[in-house]
Each structure stands twice: as structure tokens, then as C-alpha cells.
Amino acid sequence: METALNITSANTGESLEFIVEVIERKLQTTQYKHQSNNIDDIDGFGLQIFDKILTSLKTLISICNKSKDYPAACNLLRMIADSLSTYKLIYSSKDIEEKKFRHYLYVLDGITSRKKLMQNDIFNDGTLSVNEFKQLLKQYESTRQSDNDAIKHCNEKLNNHIYSQNYPEFHKLSINKCNWRYKDKVSSSINKNRYSWEDMYRLLGLPNYFISFISLHLSQYSHGLCVSNLIHPKCENDFTPILSFGIIFAGKLINEIDPTILR
């Protein structure tokens, strides 16, 4: 008489924990070669994405097996998918010039977006002491100056890139829109020349049902849509698929780490 497999979130979580430990050891063999948070250390910058995904996978295990927070688990899984597909597009490219161009556009996009959130001047509304406000102002100005320097640096790298000569219209439009998700080196409308997030997930070689799961189901939780507000009983079986998808992403991550280690 055959015994049914008893697949639970606990043993699925144990499997993911084992894979996470393997990933951690693999990363330790290569991270020492790179400088942390150095924009020009392109492979090192990519490793920061690996490290973020690794931390998120650990948190996913905790959320599923301890706190039983289903909406948070779905939201975290979506973030892992986005980060992994971003790495795949930018940092796994074997074309060095392509990698450089996307990398500096990617950094430019992030820093420019943060700068837009910062006001030109800040004022003390009376809730902070004079010394506290001085410290805040110093930190604020330091961050703003750092962002300005990073933006200037990225623009210099991009403007000196070979694409400025070979594809001038595409080059100009890409920088103006910080379009690191471009499909081709053409000068057509920015909306037509940008990978959607569904396109990005396809770069990971995921089947269509998995892409639909990320785009339709997980987005309910990422964007606070209706399904995310439904009452979820803390049933262990609800978390087994989430952890299983985490195992799939962890496997994809290992596939990206191994070529990086050999560089």
C-alpha cells in the first residue's frame, strides 16, 4: 500500500533553508573580491542584489513558518521575482558594453527617483530641538550632495559610452528616461521599447502559469488590491506553495551565482 507524501510548509521550509545555506556559502567565496556600494564595481553591485535576495529568502521562511503572514509572504515573493529578473537583464549579460550601459542607467534611475522626493529646503516645525534639526539638516545635505555626485558620475559614464556614437538617438532617449529596461537600441517611442515586468519574468525562463501567478496573484498583495484584504486563515497548506516558489527562485539564483564566481 502506497503512503501519500506528507508535504508541509515545515519540511518545504527546511528544504529552502538548506538551499539558502548553499547560496550563502557560494556568495562568501566571491564577495570579498568586490567593493561594497561602489558604483563602478559593476559585478560587485550585482552581488548586492544577490545578498538582498538571500536575506529576503530567509525572511520568507520566517514569515511562512512562524508569523504565518500570507499577504507579507506574497509581497516578499514578488519583490524577489523583480530583483532576480532585474539581475538577469542587467548583470548576467555577457556583452560588457551592454552591461555597463544598463548598469549606469539602472543606478541613475534609482538615484534620480530618490532625489525627486527631496525638497530643496527643509524647515523645523518645532518638533525637533535646535541640535536635532542641525543633525538632520547635515544628514539631509550630505545625502543630497551624494546623490548629485552619483547622478553626475552616471551621466559622465553614459555620455562617454560607445552607444553615444553608435546609437545617438537611442542613447539620448534612454538617458532622458533612465530606461534601463529597453528592448532594442532603437529611437522609437519609449513605451514601445521597454520590457514590461511580465517580459522581465520571462527572461528567467519561467512557465506561463508561474508568470501569471506573479503578475496577477502576487500583485494583489503588492498593490493592496481586493484579494489582499480577504481574511486568510492561518492554514499551513497555504504556505507550502509559497515556499515551493521560493525554492524555484533560489534555484534560479544559484544558476546566476555560479557564472559570477567564475569571473
mmCIF file of all heavy atoms in Angstrom, residues 152-189:
data_model
loop_
_atom_site.group_PDB
_atom_site.id
_atom_site.type_symbol
_atom_site.label_atom_id
_atom_site.label_comp_id
_atom_site.label_asym_id
_atom_site.label_seq_id
_atom_site.Cartn_x
_atom_site.Cartn_y
_atom_site.Cartn_z
ATOM 1 N N LYS A 152 25.784 62.815 -11.487
ATOM 2 C CA LYS A 152 26.799 63.391 -12.372
ATOM 3 C C LYS A 152 27.739 62.307 -12.888
ATOM 4 O O LYS A 152 28.075 62.261 -14.071
ATOM 5 C CB LYS A 152 27.591 64.468 -11.630
ATOM 6 C CG LYS A 152 28.677 65.128 -12.471
ATOM 7 C CD LYS A 152 29.443 66.177 -11.664
ATOM 8 C CE LYS A 152 30.558 66.792 -12.500
ATOM 9 N NZ LYS A 152 31.329 67.796 -11.713
ATOM 10 N N HIS A 153 28.141 61.429 -12.001
ATOM 11 C CA HIS A 153 29.060 60.351 -12.362
ATOM 12 C C HIS A 153 28.426 59.413 -13.391
ATOM 13 O O HIS A 153 29.059 59.040 -14.386
ATOM 14 C CB HIS A 153 29.456 59.572 -11.113
ATOM 15 C CG HIS A 153 30.447 58.479 -11.361
ATOM 16 N ND1 HIS A 153 31.780 58.717 -11.613
ATOM 17 C CD2 HIS A 153 30.295 57.129 -11.423
ATOM 18 C CE1 HIS A 153 32.415 57.583 -11.794
ATOM 19 N NE2 HIS A 153 31.530 56.588 -11.683
ATOM 20 N N CYS A 154 27.181 59.023 -13.150
ATOM 21 C CA CYS A 154 26.481 58.129 -14.084
ATOM 22 C C CYS A 154 26.320 58.780 -15.447
ATOM 23 O O CYS A 154 26.517 58.132 -16.490
ATOM 24 C CB CYS A 154 25.119 57.745 -13.525
ATOM 25 S SG CYS A 154 25.167 56.597 -12.134
ATOM 26 N N ASN A 155 25.955 60.052 -15.458
ATOM 27 C CA ASN A 155 25.794 60.764 -16.733
ATOM 28 C C ASN A 155 27.109 60.826 -17.504
ATOM 29 O O ASN A 155 27.127 60.682 -18.731
ATOM 30 C CB ASN A 155 25.258 62.175 -16.488
ATOM 31 C CG ASN A 155 23.750 62.198 -16.312
ATOM 32 O OD1 ASN A 155 23.015 61.513 -17.032
ATOM 33 N ND2 ASN A 155 23.267 62.970 -15.355
ATOM 34 N N GLU A 156 28.208 61.028 -16.783
ATOM 35 C CA GLU A 156 29.518 61.061 -17.442
ATOM 36 C C GLU A 156 29.843 59.705 -18.063
ATOM 37 O O GLU A 156 30.319 59.626 -19.198
ATOM 38 C CB GLU A 156 30.598 61.457 -16.438
ATOM 39 C CG GLU A 156 30.550 62.928 -16.032
ATOM 40 C CD GLU A 156 31.569 63.264 -14.959
ATOM 41 O OE1 GLU A 156 32.196 62.319 -14.419
ATOM 42 O OE2 GLU A 156 31.740 64.464 -14.661
ATOM 43 N N LYS A 157 29.606 58.641 -17.308
ATOM 44 C CA LYS A 157 29.863 57.300 -17.819
ATOM 45 C C LYS A 157 28.995 56.990 -19.041
ATOM 46 O O LYS A 157 29.461 56.406 -20.029
ATOM 47 C CB LYS A 157 29.593 56.266 -16.722
ATOM 48 C CG LYS A 157 30.596 56.270 -15.588
ATOM 49 C CD LYS A 157 31.938 55.721 -16.052
ATOM 50 C CE LYS A 157 32.922 55.581 -14.906
ATOM 51 N NZ LYS A 157 34.230 55.018 -15.348
ATOM 52 N N LEU A 158 27.728 57.390 -18.970
ATOM 53 C CA LEU A 158 26.801 57.117 -20.072
ATOM 54 C C LEU A 158 27.124 57.951 -21.298
ATOM 55 O O LEU A 158 27.066 57.466 -22.435
ATOM 56 C CB LEU A 158 25.364 57.379 -19.604
ATOM 57 C CG LEU A 158 24.810 56.376 -18.584
ATOM 58 C CD1 LEU A 158 23.549 56.913 -17.936
ATOM 59 C CD2 LEU A 158 24.537 55.033 -19.253
ATOM 60 N N ASN A 159 27.481 59.214 -21.087
ATOM 61 C CA ASN A 159 27.782 60.093 -22.224
ATOM 62 C C ASN A 159 29.088 59.729 -22.909
ATOM 63 O O ASN A 159 29.293 60.069 -24.083
ATOM 64 C CB ASN A 159 27.819 61.553 -21.768
ATOM 65 C CG ASN A 159 26.430 62.103 -21.489
ATOM 66 O OD1 ASN A 159 25.462 61.743 -22.157
ATOM 67 N ND2 ASN A 159 26.320 62.958 -20.478
ATOM 68 N N ASN A 160 29.958 59.032 -22.196
ATOM 69 C CA ASN A 160 31.218 58.576 -22.787
ATOM 70 C C ASN A 160 31.141 57.146 -23.298
ATOM 71 O O ASN A 160 32.134 56.599 -23.781
ATOM 72 C CB ASN A 160 32.358 58.680 -21.753
ATOM 73 C CG ASN A 160 32.731 60.122 -21.457
ATOM 74 O OD1 ASN A 160 32.709 60.962 -22.347
ATOM 75 N ND2 ASN A 160 33.065 60.415 -20.209
ATOM 76 N N HIS A 161 29.968 56.554 -23.185
ATOM 77 C CA HIS A 161 29.786 55.173 -23.617
ATOM 78 C C HIS A 161 29.766 55.101 -25.144
ATOM 79 O O HIS A 161 29.353 56.049 -25.829
ATOM 80 C CB HIS A 161 28.476 54.620 -23.049
ATOM 81 C CG HIS A 161 28.349 53.139 -23.150
ATOM 82 N ND1 HIS A 161 27.918 52.511 -24.294
ATOM 83 C CD2 HIS A 161 28.597 52.143 -22.246
ATOM 84 C CE1 HIS A 161 27.896 51.205 -24.098
ATOM 85 N NE2 HIS A 161 28.304 50.951 -22.863
ATOM 86 N N ILE A 162 30.179 53.962 -25.674
ATOM 87 C CA ILE A 162 30.265 53.772 -27.120
ATOM 88 C C ILE A 162 28.906 53.919 -27.805
ATOM 89 O O ILE A 162 28.821 54.277 -28.974
ATOM 90 C CB ILE A 162 30.891 52.395 -27.434
ATOM 91 C CG1 ILE A 162 31.244 52.299 -28.921
ATOM 92 C CG2 ILE A 162 29.958 51.265 -26.996
ATOM 93 C CD1 ILE A 162 32.032 51.058 -29.256
ATOM 94 N N TYR A 163 27.815 53.683 -27.060
ATOM 95 C CA TYR A 163 26.481 53.816 -27.656
ATOM 96 C C TYR A 163 26.168 55.257 -28.048
ATOM 97 O O TYR A 163 25.307 55.494 -28.897
ATOM 98 C CB TYR A 163 25.404 53.318 -26.685
ATOM 99 C CG TYR A 163 25.382 51.823 -26.491
ATOM 100 C CD1 TYR A 163 24.547 51.241 -25.532
ATOM 101 C CD2 TYR A 163 26.198 50.972 -27.243
ATOM 102 C CE1 TYR A 163 24.516 49.872 -25.333
ATOM 103 C CE2 TYR A 163 26.175 49.605 -27.053
ATOM 104 C CZ TYR A 163 25.338 49.059 -26.089
ATOM 105 O OH TYR A 163 25.314 47.702 -25.890
ATOM 106 N N SER A 164 26.847 56.221 -27.425
ATOM 107 C CA SER A 164 26.598 57.629 -27.770
ATOM 108 C C SER A 164 26.979 57.911 -29.216
ATOM 109 O O SER A 164 26.393 58.797 -29.859
ATOM 110 C CB SER A 164 27.375 58.554 -26.834
ATOM 111 O OG SER A 164 28.774 58.382 -27.011
ATOM 112 N N GLN A 165 27.935 57.164 -29.729
ATOM 113 C CA GLN A 165 28.357 57.327 -31.120
ATOM 114 C C GLN A 165 27.623 56.368 -32.049
ATOM 115 O O GLN A 165 27.225 56.748 -33.158
ATOM 116 C CB GLN A 165 29.869 57.091 -31.237
ATOM 117 C CG GLN A 165 30.720 58.080 -30.466
ATOM 118 C CD GLN A 165 32.195 57.766 -30.572
ATOM 119 O OE1 GLN A 165 32.609 56.816 -31.229
ATOM 120 N NE2 GLN A 165 33.016 58.577 -29.905
ATOM 121 N N ASN A 166 27.442 55.154 -31.594
ATOM 122 C CA ASN A 166 26.838 54.133 -32.460
ATOM 123 C C ASN A 166 25.318 54.236 -32.570
ATOM 124 O O ASN A 166 24.738 53.903 -33.608
ATOM 125 C CB ASN A 166 27.204 52.743 -31.951
ATOM 126 C CG ASN A 166 28.687 52.453 -32.060
ATOM 127 O OD1 ASN A 166 29.425 53.226 -32.659
ATOM 128 N ND2 ASN A 166 29.135 51.341 -31.497
ATOM 129 N N TYR A 167 24.663 54.676 -31.495
ATOM 130 C CA TYR A 167 23.196 54.778 -31.474
ATOM 131 C C TYR A 167 22.793 56.091 -30.813
ATOM 132 O O TYR A 167 22.198 56.087 -29.726
ATOM 133 C CB TYR A 167 22.580 53.598 -30.719
ATOM 134 C CG TYR A 167 23.148 52.247 -31.078
ATOM 135 C CD1 TYR A 167 24.131 51.657 -30.280
ATOM 136 C CD2 TYR A 167 22.719 51.569 -32.210
ATOM 137 C CE1 TYR A 167 24.658 50.415 -30.594
ATOM 138 C CE2 TYR A 167 23.236 50.332 -32.542
ATOM 139 C CZ TYR A 167 24.209 49.757 -31.733
ATOM 140 O OH TYR A 167 24.739 48.530 -32.051
ATOM 141 N N PRO A 168 23.100 57.226 -31.416
ATOM 142 C CA PRO A 168 22.917 58.532 -30.746
ATOM 143 C C PRO A 168 21.488 58.843 -30.312
ATOM 144 O O PRO A 168 21.278 59.347 -29.199
ATOM 145 C CB PRO A 168 23.420 59.533 -31.788
ATOM 146 C CG PRO A 168 23.385 58.791 -33.098
ATOM 147 C CD PRO A 168 23.660 57.369 -32.763
ATOM 148 N N GLU A 169 20.488 58.547 -31.158
ATOM 149 C CA GLU A 169 19.105 58.854 -30.785
ATOM 150 C C GLU A 169 18.637 57.965 -29.639
ATOM 151 O O GLU A 169 18.014 58.433 -28.678
ATOM 152 C CB GLU A 169 18.186 58.692 -31.995
ATOM 153 C CG GLU A 169 18.437 59.722 -33.098
ATOM 154 C CD GLU A 169 17.450 59.581 -34.237
ATOM 155 O OE1 GLU A 169 16.291 59.210 -33.972
ATOM 156 O OE2 GLU A 169 17.833 59.833 -35.396
ATOM 157 N N PHE A 170 18.928 56.682 -29.752
ATOM 158 C CA PHE A 170 18.592 55.740 -28.690
ATOM 159 C C PHE A 170 19.307 56.128 -27.398
ATOM 160 O O PHE A 170 18.713 56.110 -26.311
ATOM 161 C CB PHE A 170 18.995 54.326 -29.110
ATOM 162 C CG PHE A 170 19.215 53.385 -27.968
ATOM 163 C CD1 PHE A 170 18.139 52.800 -27.313
ATOM 164 C CD2 PHE A 170 20.506 53.086 -27.530
ATOM 165 C CE1 PHE A 170 18.345 51.944 -26.244
ATOM 166 C CE2 PHE A 170 20.715 52.227 -26.470
ATOM 167 C CZ PHE A 170 19.640 51.654 -25.829
ATOM 168 N N HIS A 171 20.558 56.488 -27.515
ATOM 169 C CA HIS A 171 21.371 56.862 -26.361
ATOM 170 C C HIS A 171 20.759 58.045 -25.616
ATOM 171 O O HIS A 171 20.598 58.014 -24.386
ATOM 172 C CB HIS A 171 22.787 57.206 -26.845
ATOM 173 C CG HIS A 171 23.706 57.704 -25.787
ATOM 174 N ND1 HIS A 171 23.854 59.049 -25.501
ATOM 175 C CD2 HIS A 171 24.526 57.050 -24.931
ATOM 176 C CE1 HIS A 171 24.725 59.194 -24.526
ATOM 177 N NE2 HIS A 171 25.155 58.007 -24.159
ATOM 178 N N LYS A 172 20.398 59.066 -26.338
ATOM 179 C CA LYS A 172 19.831 60.273 -25.728
ATOM 180 C C LYS A 172 18.495 59.982 -25.054
ATOM 181 O O LYS A 172 18.249 60.417 -23.909
ATOM 182 C CB LYS A 172 19.658 61.358 -26.788
ATOM 183 C CG LYS A 172 19.084 62.659 -26.248
ATOM 184 C CD LYS A 172 18.965 63.702 -27.353
ATOM 185 C CE LYS A 172 18.378 65.008 -26.824
ATOM 186 N NZ LYS A 172 18.248 66.020 -27.913
ATOM 187 N N LEU A 173 17.628 59.248 -25.741
ATOM 188 C CA LEU A 173 16.302 58.949 -25.202
ATOM 189 C C LEU A 173 16.398 58.061 -23.965
ATOM 190 O O LEU A 173 15.662 58.258 -22.991
ATOM 191 C CB LEU A 173 15.444 58.269 -26.272
ATOM 192 C CG LEU A 173 13.976 58.004 -25.922
ATOM 193 C CD1 LEU A 173 13.255 59.309 -25.619
ATOM 194 C CD2 LEU A 173 13.279 57.267 -27.059
ATOM 195 N N SER A 174 17.308 57.102 -23.996
ATOM 196 C CA SER A 174 17.466 56.186 -22.863
ATOM 197 C C SER A 174 17.900 56.928 -21.605
ATOM 198 O O SER A 174 17.411 56.668 -20.508
ATOM 199 C CB SER A 174 18.487 55.092 -23.194
ATOM 200 O OG SER A 174 18.035 54.279 -24.244
ATOM 201 N N ILE A 175 18.823 57.868 -21.762
ATOM 202 C CA ILE A 175 19.304 58.634 -20.610
ATOM 203 C C ILE A 175 18.210 59.566 -20.088
ATOM 204 O O ILE A 175 17.995 59.676 -18.882
ATOM 205 C CB ILE A 175 20.570 59.434 -20.974
ATOM 206 C CG1 ILE A 175 21.712 58.480 -21.296
ATOM 207 C CG2 ILE A 175 20.959 60.388 -19.843
ATOM 208 C CD1 ILE A 175 22.986 59.167 -21.727
ATOM 209 N N ASN A 176 17.513 60.224 -20.997
ATOM 210 C CA ASN A 176 16.450 61.151 -20.583
ATOM 211 C C ASN A 176 15.360 60.450 -19.774
ATOM 212 O O ASN A 176 14.789 61.020 -18.839
ATOM 213 C CB ASN A 176 15.826 61.825 -21.806
ATOM 214 C CG ASN A 176 16.746 62.855 -22.436
ATOM 215 O OD1 ASN A 176 17.695 63.325 -21.799
ATOM 216 N ND2 ASN A 176 16.488 63.218 -23.675
ATOM 217 N N LYS A 177 15.078 59.200 -20.134
ATOM 218 C CA LYS A 177 14.012 58.446 -19.462
ATOM 219 C C LYS A 177 14.556 57.418 -18.466
ATOM 220 O O LYS A 177 13.771 56.681 -17.860
ATOM 221 C CB LYS A 177 13.142 57.734 -20.504
ATOM 222 C CG LYS A 177 12.457 58.667 -21.488
ATOM 223 C CD LYS A 177 11.454 59.575 -20.791
ATOM 224 C CE LYS A 177 10.698 60.447 -21.789
ATOM 225 N NZ LYS A 177 9.713 61.322 -21.120
ATOM 226 N N CYS A 178 15.872 57.372 -18.299
ATOM 227 C CA CYS A 178 16.501 56.368 -17.427
ATOM 228 C C CYS A 178 15.979 54.966 -17.754
ATOM 229 O O CYS A 178 15.649 54.171 -16.861
ATOM 230 C CB CYS A 178 16.234 56.687 -15.953
ATOM 231 S SG CYS A 178 16.885 58.268 -15.398
ATOM 232 N N ASN A 179 15.908 54.663 -19.030
ATOM 233 C CA ASN A 179 15.267 53.433 -19.487
ATOM 234 C C ASN A 179 16.250 52.262 -19.540
ATOM 235 O O ASN A 179 16.750 51.894 -20.601
ATOM 236 C CB ASN A 179 14.637 53.648 -20.876
ATOM 237 C CG ASN A 179 13.914 52.413 -21.375
ATOM 238 O OD1 ASN A 179 13.478 51.573 -20.587
ATOM 239 N ND2 ASN A 179 13.780 52.291 -22.689
ATOM 240 N N TRP A 180 16.511 51.666 -18.384
ATOM 241 C CA TRP A 180 17.407 50.510 -18.346
ATOM 242 C C TRP A 180 16.704 49.227 -18.790
ATOM 243 O O TRP A 180 17.357 48.203 -19.023
ATOM 244 C CB TRP A 180 17.975 50.324 -16.936
ATOM 245 C CG TRP A 180 16.949 50.246 -15.847
ATOM 246 C CD1 TRP A 180 16.395 51.288 -15.157
ATOM 247 C CD2 TRP A 180 16.344 49.057 -15.316
ATOM 248 N NE1 TRP A 180 15.488 50.828 -14.235
ATOM 249 C CE2 TRP A 180 15.435 49.468 -14.304
ATOM 250 C CE3 TRP A 180 16.487 47.699 -15.579
ATOM 251 C CZ2 TRP A 180 14.677 48.562 -13.575
ATOM 252 C CZ3 TRP A 180 15.733 46.786 -14.872
ATOM 253 C CH2 TRP A 180 14.843 47.227 -13.881
ATOM 254 N N ARG A 181 15.373 49.281 -18.959
ATOM 255 C CA ARG A 181 14.610 48.104 -19.394
ATOM 256 C C ARG A 181 14.357 48.111 -20.904
ATOM 257 O O ARG A 181 13.421 47.476 -21.382
ATOM 258 C CB ARG A 181 13.279 48.034 -18.647
ATOM 259 C CG ARG A 181 13.403 47.516 -17.235
ATOM 260 C CD ARG A 181 12.043 47.187 -16.644
ATOM 261 N NE ARG A 181 11.340 48.345 -16.136
ATOM 262 C CZ ARG A 181 10.021 48.466 -16.101
ATOM 263 N NH1 ARG A 181 9.247 47.509 -16.606
ATOM 264 N NH2 ARG A 181 9.463 49.541 -15.603
ATOM 265 N N TYR A 182 15.197 48.797 -21.653
ATOM 266 C CA TYR A 182 14.987 48.869 -23.106
ATOM 267 C C TYR A 182 15.119 47.486 -23.744
ATOM 268 O O TYR A 182 15.859 46.625 -23.273
ATOM 269 C CB TYR A 182 15.978 49.846 -23.740
ATOM 270 C CG TYR A 182 17.427 49.488 -23.578
ATOM 271 C CD1 TYR A 182 18.076 48.614 -24.461
ATOM 272 C CD2 TYR A 182 18.190 50.040 -22.548
ATOM 273 C CE1 TYR A 182 19.404 48.290 -24.306
ATOM 274 C CE2 TYR A 182 19.532 49.726 -22.394
ATOM 275 C CZ TYR A 182 20.132 48.845 -23.271
ATOM 276 O OH TYR A 182 21.457 48.530 -23.122
ATOM 277 N N LYS A 183 14.380 47.300 -24.858
ATOM 278 C CA LYS A 183 14.423 46.032 -25.590
ATOM 279 C C LYS A 183 15.489 46.044 -26.674
ATOM 280 O O LYS A 183 16.236 45.088 -26.846
ATOM 281 C CB LYS A 183 13.054 45.748 -26.221
ATOM 282 C CG LYS A 183 11.933 45.501 -25.231
ATOM 283 C CD LYS A 183 10.636 45.233 -25.985
ATOM 284 C CE LYS A 183 9.483 44.949 -25.029
ATOM 285 N NZ LYS A 183 8.213 44.713 -25.771
ATOM 286 N N ASP A 184 15.515 47.130 -27.438
ATOM 287 C CA ASP A 184 16.431 47.226 -28.569
ATOM 288 C C ASP A 184 17.069 48.604 -28.594
ATOM 289 O O ASP A 184 16.558 49.552 -27.985
ATOM 290 C CB ASP A 184 15.694 47.003 -29.897
ATOM 291 C CG ASP A 184 15.014 45.638 -29.955
ATOM 292 O OD1 ASP A 184 15.743 44.636 -29.912
ATOM 293 O OD2 ASP A 184 13.774 45.596 -30.032
ATOM 294 N N LYS A 185 18.147 48.734 -29.326
ATOM 295 C CA LYS A 185 18.838 50.023 -29.440
ATOM 296 C C LYS A 185 18.243 50.817 -30.599
ATOM 297 O O LYS A 185 18.877 51.048 -31.624
ATOM 298 C CB LYS A 185 20.335 49.810 -29.631
ATOM 299 C CG LYS A 185 20.982 49.021 -28.503
ATOM 300 C CD LYS A 185 22.444 48.795 -28.801
ATOM 301 C CE LYS A 185 23.036 47.773 -27.860
ATOM 302 N NZ LYS A 185 22.470 46.412 -28.037
ATOM 303 N N VAL A 186 17.002 51.213 -30.399
ATOM 304 C CA VAL A 186 16.296 51.987 -31.420
ATOM 305 C C VAL A 186 15.788 53.270 -30.777
ATOM 306 O O VAL A 186 15.777 53.415 -29.566
ATOM 307 C CB VAL A 186 15.121 51.192 -32.024
ATOM 308 C CG1 VAL A 186 15.630 49.978 -32.765
ATOM 309 C CG2 VAL A 186 14.133 50.769 -30.952
ATOM 310 N N SER A 187 15.345 54.202 -31.612
ATOM 311 C CA SER A 187 14.924 55.516 -31.097
ATOM 312 C C SER A 187 13.417 55.699 -31.119
ATOM 313 O O SER A 187 12.929 56.811 -31.134
ATOM 314 C CB SER A 187 15.585 56.628 -31.924
ATOM 315 O OG SER A 187 15.249 56.491 -33.288
ATOM 316 N N SER A 188 12.663 54.583 -31.151
ATOM 317 C CA SER A 188 11.205 54.681 -31.207
ATOM 318 C C SER A 188 10.654 55.108 -29.852
ATOM 319 O O SER A 188 11.387 55.355 -28.901
ATOM 320 C CB SER A 188 10.607 53.337 -31.625
ATOM 321 O OG SER A 188 10.954 52.337 -30.699
ATOM 322 N N SER A 189 9.344 55.176 -29.760
ATOM 323 C CA SER A 189 8.679 55.594 -28.521
ATOM 324 C C SER A 189 9.173 54.789 -27.326
ATOM 325 O O SER A 189 9.355 53.567 -27.407
ATOM 326 C CB SER A 189 7.165 55.420 -28.665
ATOM 327 O OG SER A 189 6.523 55.537 -27.422
#
